[in-house]
Amino acid sequence: MKCDKLVDVGRRQFLRGGVFGATGAAVATMIPATPAKAQSLARLDYPSNRLANVADLKANEPMDIAYPDADSPGVLLKLGSPVDGGAGPDGDIVAFSVLCPHKGWQLTYHAADKTLNCPGHYSRFDCEAGGQQTWGHATQNLPQFLLRVDDKGDIFAEGVDELIYGRLSNVLA
Amino acid sequence: MKVKHCRIHNRPAYNSEVHSSRDMGVDELNYQYADYEVTDTIFLVGANPIETQTNLFLNHMVPGMRNGAKVLVVDPRRTVTINACEEVAGKDNVLHLQINSGTDLALFNALFTEIADKGWVDSEFIKASTFADGVAVPEDEAHPANLGSYEAARAACRMSLAEAAEICGVSAEDIAKAAAWIAEPKDGARRKCVTAYEKGIIWGNDNYRTIGALLNIALATGNVGREGGGCCRLGGHQEGYYRPGDGHVGRPAPYFDQLVIAGRGKVHHNWATDHFKTTLNAVAFKREYNRRTNMVKEAMDARAGATREEMVDAIVAAINAGGLFSVHVDIIHTQNAQAAHVILPAVESGEMNLTSMNGERRLRLTEKYMDGPGQAMPDCLIAARMANHFERVLREEGRNEYADQFKGYDWKTEEDAFMDGYHQGNPEVTYERLRAMGNNGVQEPVTGFADGKLIGTPRLYENGVFKRHGREDGKALFMAGGWRGLEAPGKAQQKANHRFLINNGRSNINWQNWFLDQDNDFVSDRFPLPYLQINPEDAAELGLKNGDMAEVYNDVGATQAMVYVEPTARRNETFMLFGAPTGTQGNVINAGTNTLILPNYKQT
């Protein structure tokens, strides 16, 4: 029996939880009458903020955004190839906080391997694997913003899957 | 109790990991971390500090590089530390000597020879602080090389750049450059060089001579006890900083694992270690440990419902028939403890008051802030309660002299244990005074108390007097130990018989033997299995992809790992994580040890 995929069991939990997958799948297959809404994983009232339109994005070029408020910088990316949890017609649109969950340094995007890198202490996060820490000092993965794409191609952020650096709650009162 | 047959968590005997440094007169933790910030050259050997000493790297080594220090790294693997050093210091200021695994001794002897031949030595220091006249300690079973003068060492260690280049697989030019970075006078003054080493050589080939050869360089260049100097191991994980003498154990110490495997011993107490995950020759150790402890379990099962006395008789009979009675003291249920008959739950830092020190001998008191679970107790109090029972039982049996050995363990708190132990040897130090020193603590040895503060020692040997070896003259000794190939039995044969090197070590995300990582989703998600870094072409040849599960096997055993294709890995040289619960690297490490029963986990 071929069992060399067993280690996939360890990949990030939410990727098999269906929240992200549902968004991508809905857009890709059910086409757009009632686009599925992403659910937030924390019991928080997340705002639904329009970040951009699909047409604004160029493959593998990061767009600066902020979510859920102006003090939480992030990046919106069209990766160019579909990933688990990717939104949009090509299943390749993702968004992340750019505050390193270790000490809050601002991450920079490295297009060659699609990672976000910390200039402070060398941590790296994989944008193709839900912000998984490739290597580093943080004790959590990079917060990913949950996206919804409507029938006009507008991209909305509607949730965050991990705690944003420096916050006790992702949505501030 | 003066039990002779005992061992330490990561080695199969009760011994030092740095015998030679101590025999040469130099304690292995002799600098202060601030020395990295004011040095000219940081010399890292078999160490990967950004992953395994992160605070030291980020808070002291990085500032040192920003102040202009060059970095010299000896490692068969291109580590993330090297990458980070290049980012900080610039590639021109980082030299990676990517030697063949296990050839450090040849390299160090060549560096020593080159530095001596160039005259880049500190003659005044050598004259004032080191032994001058030939051999001071001749080679014998307890000292695997002659120890003596600078000149004696120079003769015994002589190794040309060309010879070393051939053995080590690096260029003679790079070795010469390394020697210059360590010792060539800078701006007309002695160059400052701080040396740090860790498991790459501690758990590598010919531990005794290799560590001594590295210390030779530091001594010859006057880089011990000086600002910006030091020659230290990086580890400093709260090992016993106060303990009774170990003279009863002898040297070489008994090879504990082999005694267990051979059916010797009747009762095994294991305090806070998991040999099943971390020992060498682990397949054989586990097999015999399970077989022998099962003999006792089966005997106990067969007497279910018996009286206490009958049960004891059944256990003793099983032990006398070759069984092993196993007692484990730990904060988690370890793999080794799954074979136990008795488990005594312990508490950990935070659940008790704990004094510990770091790699610059900084002693601190971490105070209790929560209760431990259930009946768990601090180790010292578990030991004290055992002693109380020994005393009681022995008195009941009329063995009063033996019972007297267990008098005085009336400890009620961790502080009682501290006052009976550490305080006896260091009368200035009390819990109250350590509490007042806060998170910065005090650097050992403590020399006094004034103005409400303990007075510590930031750097050892500033007076140039070396006494770690116990010599009255206070002179440090040099190591006269030549290169002799892969020294531990079986290593050379393994190298000849198998294609892949299974180098091994630690990662940033995993702590020690992963004992708490197992219940940490963030960590176990990242690495459900130990990873095995492998060159992309090797992986392609074997049909392996990232994330595949691979079986790793050789003549002594087999284990499993997760494939991690790594472009910087050299052909036929893999790197596997050590200590993982889901793939025991020790399964493929043979029983052969270096002299003095020091394990060689590396050249596998």
Side-chain angles (χ1 to χ4, degrees), chain A residues 68-87:
Chain A
D69 52 62
D71 294 329
S72 172
V75 68
L76 181 65
L77 279 162
K78 182 174 170 58
L79 293 168
S81 50
V83 293
D84 283 349

PDB file of all heavy atoms in Angstrom, chain A residues 68-87:
ATOM      1  N   PRO A  68      -8.449  44.047   9.423  1.00  0.00           N
ATOM      2  CA  PRO A  68      -9.834  44.556   9.316  1.00  0.00           C
ATOM      3  C   PRO A  68      -9.929  46.056   9.539  1.00  0.00           C
ATOM      4  O   PRO A  68     -11.035  46.596   9.465  1.00  0.00           O
ATOM      5  CB  PRO A  68     -10.560  43.788  10.434  1.00  0.00           C
ATOM      6  CG  PRO A  68      -9.507  43.420  11.399  1.00  0.00           C
ATOM      7  CD  PRO A  68      -8.226  43.294  10.668  1.00  0.00           C
ATOM      8  N   ASP A  69      -8.810  46.711   9.820  1.00  0.00           N
ATOM      9  CA  ASP A  69      -8.857  48.159   9.973  1.00  0.00           C
ATOM     10  C   ASP A  69      -7.540  48.727   9.448  1.00  0.00           C
ATOM     11  O   ASP A  69      -6.618  47.984   9.112  1.00  0.00           O
ATOM     12  CB  ASP A  69      -9.104  48.543  11.443  1.00  0.00           C
ATOM     13  CG  ASP A  69      -8.131  47.857  12.379  1.00  0.00           C
ATOM     14  OD1 ASP A  69      -6.920  48.099  12.249  1.00  0.00           O
ATOM     15  OD2 ASP A  69      -8.576  47.035  13.225  1.00  0.00           O
ATOM     16  N   ALA A  70      -7.446  50.034   9.442  1.00  0.00           N
ATOM     17  CA  ALA A  70      -6.297  50.693   8.821  1.00  0.00           C
ATOM     18  C   ALA A  70      -4.984  50.408   9.535  1.00  0.00           C
ATOM     19  O   ALA A  70      -3.907  50.575   8.964  1.00  0.00           O
ATOM     20  CB  ALA A  70      -6.532  52.206   8.770  1.00  0.00           C
ATOM     21  N   ASP A  71      -5.058  49.963  10.795  1.00  0.00           N
ATOM     22  CA  ASP A  71      -3.830  49.708  11.554  1.00  0.00           C
ATOM     23  C   ASP A  71      -3.302  48.291  11.397  1.00  0.00           C
ATOM     24  O   ASP A  71      -2.342  47.904  12.059  1.00  0.00           O
ATOM     25  CB  ASP A  71      -4.077  49.995  13.042  1.00  0.00           C
ATOM     26  CG  ASP A  71      -4.342  51.466  13.281  1.00  0.00           C
ATOM     27  OD1 ASP A  71      -3.789  52.286  12.525  1.00  0.00           O
ATOM     28  OD2 ASP A  71      -5.118  51.780  14.203  1.00  0.00           O
ATOM     29  N   SER A  72      -3.935  47.527  10.543  1.00  0.00           N
ATOM     30  CA  SER A  72      -3.499  46.144  10.346  1.00  0.00           C
ATOM     31  C   SER A  72      -3.109  45.942   8.884  1.00  0.00           C
ATOM     32  O   SER A  72      -3.908  45.518   8.058  1.00  0.00           O
ATOM     33  CB  SER A  72      -4.626  45.177  10.731  1.00  0.00           C
ATOM     34  OG  SER A  72      -4.282  43.852  10.367  1.00  0.00           O
ATOM     35  N   PRO A  73      -1.841  46.243   8.562  1.00  0.00           N
ATOM     36  CA  PRO A  73      -1.420  46.155   7.168  1.00  0.00           C
ATOM     37  C   PRO A  73      -1.396  44.713   6.669  1.00  0.00           C
ATOM     38  O   PRO A  73      -1.136  43.784   7.436  1.00  0.00           O
ATOM     39  CB  PRO A  73      -0.011  46.742   7.181  1.00  0.00           C
ATOM     40  CG  PRO A  73       0.471  46.538   8.574  1.00  0.00           C
ATOM     41  CD  PRO A  73      -0.744  46.657   9.450  1.00  0.00           C
ATOM     42  N   GLY A  74      -1.667  44.581   5.392  1.00  0.00           N
ATOM     43  CA  GLY A  74      -1.662  43.252   4.802  1.00  0.00           C
ATOM     44  C   GLY A  74      -1.283  43.313   3.340  1.00  0.00           C
ATOM     45  O   GLY A  74      -0.928  44.376   2.809  1.00  0.00           O
ATOM     46  N   VAL A  75      -1.357  42.178   2.707  1.00  0.00           N
ATOM     47  CA  VAL A  75      -0.999  42.098   1.307  1.00  0.00           C
ATOM     48  C   VAL A  75      -2.013  41.210   0.596  1.00  0.00           C
ATOM     49  O   VAL A  75      -2.482  40.214   1.152  1.00  0.00           O
ATOM     50  CB  VAL A  75       0.446  41.576   1.161  1.00  0.00           C
ATOM     51  CG1 VAL A  75       0.554  40.120   1.584  1.00  0.00           C
ATOM     52  CG2 VAL A  75       0.970  41.777  -0.231  1.00  0.00           C
ATOM     53  N   LEU A  76      -2.404  41.641  -0.612  1.00  0.00           N
ATOM     54  CA  LEU A  76      -3.330  40.866  -1.438  1.00  0.00           C
ATOM     55  C   LEU A  76      -2.527  40.348  -2.627  1.00  0.00           C
ATOM     56  O   LEU A  76      -1.800  41.101  -3.265  1.00  0.00           O
ATOM     57  CB  LEU A  76      -4.476  41.763  -1.902  1.00  0.00           C
ATOM     58  CG  LEU A  76      -5.566  41.121  -2.761  1.00  0.00           C
ATOM     59  CD1 LEU A  76      -6.336  40.060  -1.985  1.00  0.00           C
ATOM     60  CD2 LEU A  76      -6.535  42.212  -3.256  1.00  0.00           C
ATOM     61  N   LEU A  77      -2.663  39.055  -2.874  1.00  0.00           N
ATOM     62  CA  LEU A  77      -1.812  38.420  -3.874  1.00  0.00           C
ATOM     63  C   LEU A  77      -2.619  37.549  -4.822  1.00  0.00           C
ATOM     64  O   LEU A  77      -3.474  36.784  -4.378  1.00  0.00           O
ATOM     65  CB  LEU A  77      -0.821  37.483  -3.162  1.00  0.00           C
ATOM     66  CG  LEU A  77       0.413  38.096  -2.535  1.00  0.00           C
ATOM     67  CD1 LEU A  77       1.000  37.102  -1.543  1.00  0.00           C
ATOM     68  CD2 LEU A  77       1.440  38.424  -3.619  1.00  0.00           C
ATOM     69  N   LYS A  78      -2.328  37.667  -6.116  1.00  0.00           N
ATOM     70  CA  LYS A  78      -2.788  36.683  -7.081  1.00  0.00           C
ATOM     71  C   LYS A  78      -1.572  35.840  -7.417  1.00  0.00           C
ATOM     72  O   LYS A  78      -0.626  36.312  -8.057  1.00  0.00           O
ATOM     73  CB  LYS A  78      -3.338  37.381  -8.331  1.00  0.00           C
ATOM     74  CG  LYS A  78      -3.872  36.411  -9.368  1.00  0.00           C
ATOM     75  CD  LYS A  78      -4.541  37.162 -10.525  1.00  0.00           C
ATOM     76  CE  LYS A  78      -4.854  36.221 -11.697  1.00  0.00           C
ATOM     77  NZ  LYS A  78      -5.737  35.086 -11.327  1.00  0.00           N
ATOM     78  N   LEU A  79      -1.562  34.608  -6.907  1.00  0.00           N
ATOM     79  CA  LEU A  79      -0.332  33.812  -6.950  1.00  0.00           C
ATOM     80  C   LEU A  79       0.017  33.320  -8.351  1.00  0.00           C
ATOM     81  O   LEU A  79       1.169  33.038  -8.655  1.00  0.00           O
ATOM     82  CB  LEU A  79      -0.441  32.621  -5.993  1.00  0.00           C
ATOM     83  CG  LEU A  79      -0.490  33.006  -4.504  1.00  0.00           C
ATOM     84  CD1 LEU A  79      -0.887  31.800  -3.661  1.00  0.00           C
ATOM     85  CD2 LEU A  79       0.836  33.568  -4.032  1.00  0.00           C
ATOM     86  N   GLY A  80      -1.008  33.160  -9.205  1.00  0.00           N
ATOM     87  CA  GLY A  80      -0.711  32.698 -10.554  1.00  0.00           C
ATOM     88  C   GLY A  80      -0.977  31.221 -10.765  1.00  0.00           C
ATOM     89  O   GLY A  80      -1.007  30.747 -11.898  1.00  0.00           O
ATOM     90  N   SER A  81      -1.129  30.505  -9.647  1.00  0.00           N
ATOM     91  CA  SER A  81      -1.528  29.099  -9.765  1.00  0.00           C
ATOM     92  C   SER A  81      -2.397  28.784  -8.557  1.00  0.00           C
ATOM     93  O   SER A  81      -2.211  29.361  -7.479  1.00  0.00           O
ATOM     94  CB  SER A  81      -0.288  28.186  -9.821  1.00  0.00           C
ATOM     95  OG  SER A  81       0.590  28.499  -8.781  1.00  0.00           O
ATOM     96  N   PRO A  82      -3.371  27.890  -8.745  1.00  0.00           N
ATOM     97  CA  PRO A  82      -4.332  27.659  -7.668  1.00  0.00           C
ATOM     98  C   PRO A  82      -3.679  27.057  -6.420  1.00  0.00           C
ATOM     99  O   PRO A  82      -2.738  26.272  -6.528  1.00  0.00           O
ATOM    100  CB  PRO A  82      -5.338  26.681  -8.290  1.00  0.00           C
ATOM    101  CG  PRO A  82      -4.659  26.085  -9.474  1.00  0.00           C
ATOM    102  CD  PRO A  82      -3.634  27.067  -9.940  1.00  0.00           C
ATOM    103  N   VAL A  83      -4.186  27.475  -5.270  1.00  0.00           N
ATOM    104  CA  VAL A  83      -3.701  26.908  -4.010  1.00  0.00           C
ATOM    105  C   VAL A  83      -4.897  26.533  -3.155  1.00  0.00           C
ATOM    106  O   VAL A  83      -6.003  27.056  -3.351  1.00  0.00           O
ATOM    107  CB  VAL A  83      -2.829  27.928  -3.231  1.00  0.00           C
ATOM    108  CG1 VAL A  83      -1.537  28.219  -3.971  1.00  0.00           C
ATOM    109  CG2 VAL A  83      -3.591  29.215  -2.946  1.00  0.00           C
ATOM    110  N   ASP A  84      -4.679  25.660  -2.197  1.00  0.00           N
ATOM    111  CA  ASP A  84      -5.732  25.348  -1.227  1.00  0.00           C
ATOM    112  C   ASP A  84      -6.124  26.653  -0.553  1.00  0.00           C
ATOM    113  O   ASP A  84      -5.262  27.372  -0.039  1.00  0.00           O
ATOM    114  CB  ASP A  84      -5.208  24.366  -0.167  1.00  0.00           C
ATOM    115  CG  ASP A  84      -5.146  22.946  -0.707  1.00  0.00           C
ATOM    116  OD1 ASP A  84      -5.690  22.712  -1.792  1.00  0.00           O
ATOM    117  OD2 ASP A  84      -4.525  22.099  -0.037  1.00  0.00           O
ATOM    118  N   GLY A  85      -7.401  26.944  -0.560  1.00  0.00           N
ATOM    119  CA  GLY A  85      -7.854  28.165   0.099  1.00  0.00           C
ATOM    120  C   GLY A  85      -7.791  29.405  -0.765  1.00  0.00           C
ATOM    121  O   GLY A  85      -8.137  30.486  -0.303  1.00  0.00           O
ATOM    122  N   GLY A  86      -7.375  29.276  -2.015  1.00  0.00           N
ATOM    123  CA  GLY A  86      -7.307  30.434  -2.895  1.00  0.00           C
ATOM    124  C   GLY A  86      -8.707  30.838  -3.358  1.00  0.00           C
ATOM    125  O   GLY A  86      -9.544  29.983  -3.643  1.00  0.00           O
ATOM    126  N   ALA A  87      -8.939  32.144  -3.487  1.00  0.00           N
ATOM    127  CA  ALA A  87     -10.235  32.648  -3.921  1.00  0.00           C
ATOM    128  C   ALA A  87     -10.142  33.102  -5.374  1.00  0.00           C
ATOM    129  O   ALA A  87      -9.067  33.116  -5.976  1.00  0.00           O
ATOM    130  CB  ALA A  87     -10.674  33.798  -3.017  1.00  0.00           C
TER     131      ALA A  87
END
